[in-house]
Amino acid sequence: MDESGSVDVEGRQYDPDDDHEFPTERLDTVLPEILSDPEITAYLEAQNVNAVTRKEYNDHGPEHIKIVRNRALRLYELLKANDIEFNGATEQGLCDADEPVIIALAATLHDVGHVVHRDRHPYYSIPLAADILDRLLPQFDFYDIEQQVRMKAEILHAILCHHTAEDPLTTEAGTIRVADALDMERGRSRIPYKKGGRGIDTLSSQAIDRVSLKPGSECPVLVKIEMINAAGVYQVDNLLKAKLRDSGLQEHVRIVAVNTRSGDQLVEQIEL
């Protein structure tokens, strides 16, 4: 991880100096403000208290947010490279350059509701994120009042749909939903588990060794899950597959889980 908060994903980090498959000028202006904003930083630290300190669940703090934001942008780029339509910004009369801003802000703020409670946290995230956006978006001269409202609408929609029964209605929201589930390496399960537990949630989370996002040969995105034992299938099937099923991205993402331990032949490779 570098000082900017980028997380390496299959050798790729978001770098403003790289060539990208999407317009980056607005993202490159907004992202440094997100990373340096003291209120956002405080929320990301505070939201781990209920999840980790009090309920003894897995991490939902700054590290989780960095991973989700980076993977959401990586997923977005792979989809854009294959001309997949993102309808959230365009249906609001916004432009392509607003799509990655919506994704970056939704990824950053999707879990702030944890400061209220872990249970039903997406619903608590909405008013808290709305207040932050009301302060943050006017700082950018490319958003007038109407555009600020429309940007906020799309960001909040993506936040709400990341972990609820409400299905995403935009590709941007679907991207956040899937990216949230991709933070599962080396015990970083999105299925909550108690510290020191020995249940299937804990065992399956410890079985995931590496997650990589690559261009697919049969569809835009290949998600490769490397496991050290077959218990990882539970994690992939019960979270990632479930979130993908309701994301609107089902036709564009292929999931392959590979068992890297040759001595365990129960599952060698499975497509989910």
Side-chain angles (χ1 to χ4, degrees):
M1 185 185 309
D2 65 19
E3 294 179 354
S4 70
S6 296
V7 177
D8 187 28
V9 180
E10 194 57 22
R12 295 288 301 275
Q13 298 179 20
Y14 178 75
D15 187 335
D17 295 327
D18 286 347
D19 292 330
H20 292 281
E21 299 291 341
F22 55 89
T24 64
E25 61 274 12
R26 294 190 174 184
L27 177 63
D28 293 343
T29 301
V30 174
L31 189 55
E33 297 300 319
I34 297 173
L35 297 175
S36 63
D37 187 272
E39 183 182 17
I40 292 175
T41 299
Y43 266 113
L44 302 190
E45 294 286 351
Q47 69 194 36
N48 238 0
V49 173
N50 277 331
V52 175
T53 306
R54 293 171 179 162
K55 293 187 74 71
E56 297 186 325
Y57 284 160
N58 41 315
D59 171 56
H60 286 76
E63 182 74 2
H64 171 59
I65 297 304
K66 292 172 185 176
I67 292 171
V68 172
R69 183 172 55 232
N70 193 72
R71 293 192 172 178
L73 289 172
R74 175 65 170 146
L75 181 56
Y76 170 66
E77 182 153 39
L78 289 170
L79 293 167
K80 290 291 281 188
N82 285 268
D83 298 320
I84 302 304
E85 179 182 358
F86 280 73
N87 63 308
T90 56
E91 289 176 354
Q92 289 285 7
L94 300 166
C95 67
D96 286 357
D98 297 319
E99 295 168 358
V101 177
I102 291 168
I103 287 170
L105 279 165
T108 301
L109 301 175
H110 75 277
D111 269 349
V112 294
H114 275 91
V115 301
V116 180
H117 205 290
R118 159 67 192 176
D119 300 339
R120 298 176 61 83
H121 69 273
Y123 299 98
Y124 303 131
S125 292
I126 295 301
L128 296 174
D131 286 348
I132 294 171
L133 294 170
D134 284 341
R135 175 182 58 80
L136 187 69
L137 290 174
Q139 298 179 25
F140 308 110
D141 57 12
F142 40 79
Y143 293 134
D144 61 23
I145 293 295
E146 181 180 355
Q147 291 168 330
Q148 291 168 32
V149 169
R150 293 178 182 274
M151 285 291 292
K152 186 168 78 169
E154 293 309 309
I155 294 162
L156 296 180
H157 174 72
I159 289 172
L160 178 65
C161 296
H162 88 269
H163 190 72
T164 62
E166 284 78 14
D167 292 339
L169 303 178
T170 69
T171 317
E172 289 92 331
T175 299
I176 297 299
R177 190 180 185 97
V178 174
D180 182 49
L182 290 171
D183 180 16
M184 61 168 63
E185 290 179 345
R186 301 176 179 89
R188 298 192 55 82
S189 164
R190 291 305 94 204
I191 299 176
Y193 62 87
K194 289 281 188 177
K195 289 182 179 178
R198 292 294 181 267
I200 185 61
D201 294 338
T202 302
L203 295 175
S204 66
S205 72
Q206 298 295 335
I208 304 295
D209 186 53
R210 180 171 171 78
V211 178
S212 57
L213 284 73
K214 304 178 180 180
S217 58
E218 301 173 5
C219 60
V221 182
L222 171 64
V223 178
K224 183 178 180 182
I225 313 290
E226 296 178 29
M227 309 178 296
I228 60 173
N229 65 63
V233 171
Y234 176 87
Q235 185 72 216
V236 178
D237 197 42
N238 282 271
L239 183 66
L240 178 54
K241 183 179 176 182
K243 283 203 171 189
L244 177 62
R245 183 186 305 117
D246 296 328
S247 70
L249 302 182
Q250 303 93 308
E251 297 180 1
H252 309 312
V253 178
R254 178 187 175 208
I255 303 171
V256 175
V258 179
N259 192 342
T260 60
R261 293 289 176 88
S262 59
D264 181 356
Q265 299 299 321
L266 180 61
V267 175
E268 292 183 352
Q269 177 169 320
I270 184 171
E271 183 165 346
L272 295 149

